[in-house]
Structure formats: structure tokens, C-alpha cells
Amino acid sequence: TERAYASLIEEFEEEGLCEVDDEECRFMHDQIQSAAFELISPEQRDSFRGRIGSVLLRSLSAEELEASLFEVVGLLNCAATNITDEECDELAELNLKAGVKASENAAFDTAKVYF
């Protein structure tokens, strides 16, 4: 649950493992981030990734989204089975955009993932 996640993040911050400001959490090391992610049950990980993708989609500027398109779409795709029809349409558009971008960069194997 979100309350449990918030409690864990608070503990991490108290231990100096991460910094939190304006609802943004930065872990001090990638291995700490990986360990924190392992605390989330396997059944909830895709949903969690999807929520991260949704937050990024809403908060990034158009330029930032373009620069992080593959990462954001990848996160959103993790939770694609639990989205509304409207979200599905938006995700399809984002996947098309990511596929075209990958094709333009001759990353054809990557493009297949999005098409």
C-alpha cells in the first residue's frame, strides 16, 4: 500500500539512504534503490512501475518526455493490463512515437518492442 511505501521511504531517509524533497526521492546509490525495490512484492512491482511512469508522464515537460521517452513508455507498458480504454489509447500513441523514434535511430530491435 502507499502508506507502507511512504513508511519505508521515511525509514530510508532517516538512515541516510535517500533524500526526499517535494515528493521526489533520490537514492544515494543504485544498489540501495534496487534493494528498496526488492521490498515490493513481486505481484505489485509492475503496478508500481506503471505508477512511476504515470507520474513521469504527468510531470515531465515535452522536451524532457522526448529525452526519456523509452524509459517512460517502458514503465507504462509494465502496467498495461490494468489501464482504462482512454489510457490504453494514450499508451498506444506513446508506443508508436517510441517505435518511430527507435526506427529513426536504426534501433530496429528496440522499435519492434514498441510496435
Side-chain angles (χ1 to χ4, degrees), residues 5 17 35 41-42 49 56 60 65 67 74 82-83 114:
Y5 298 138
L17 301 174
S41 71
R49 286 182 179 113
L56 290 172
L60 295 175
L65 179 59
N82 297 319
I83 59 176
Y114 300 107

Side-chain angles (χ1 to χ4, degrees), residues 35-94:
F37 190 71
E38 291 298 318
L39 295 173
I40 300 169
S41 71
E43 302 81 32
Q44 294 178 321
R45 288 183 189 157
D46 284 343
S47 173
F48 190 73
R49 286 182 179 113
R51 286 189 296 185
I52 292 169
S54 293
V55 168
L56 290 172
L57 183 61
R58 287 191 313 269
S59 62
L60 295 175
S61 69
E63 295 81 24
E64 291 169 324
L65 179 59
E66 183 65 28
S68 302
L69 185 62
F70 300 124
E71 293 85 359
V72 173
V73 174
L75 288 165
L76 292 169
N77 283 341
C78 289
T81 58
N82 297 319
I83 59 176
T84 66
D85 288 342
E86 183 179 314
E87 292 169 326
C88 187
D89 291 344
E90 182 178 17
L91 183 55
E93 289 176 22
L94 288 167

Side-chain angles (χ1 to χ4, degrees), residues 5-28:
Y5 298 138
S7 176
L8 284 172
I9 295 298
E10 189 174 295
E11 285 181 45
F12 292 154
E13 185 177 25
E14 288 172 3
E15 294 293 325
L17 301 174
C18 69
E19 293 179 348
V20 178
D21 59 41
D22 296 328
E23 295 189 25
E24 180 177 90
C25 178
R26 285 181 301 285
F27 287 91
M28 302 314 251

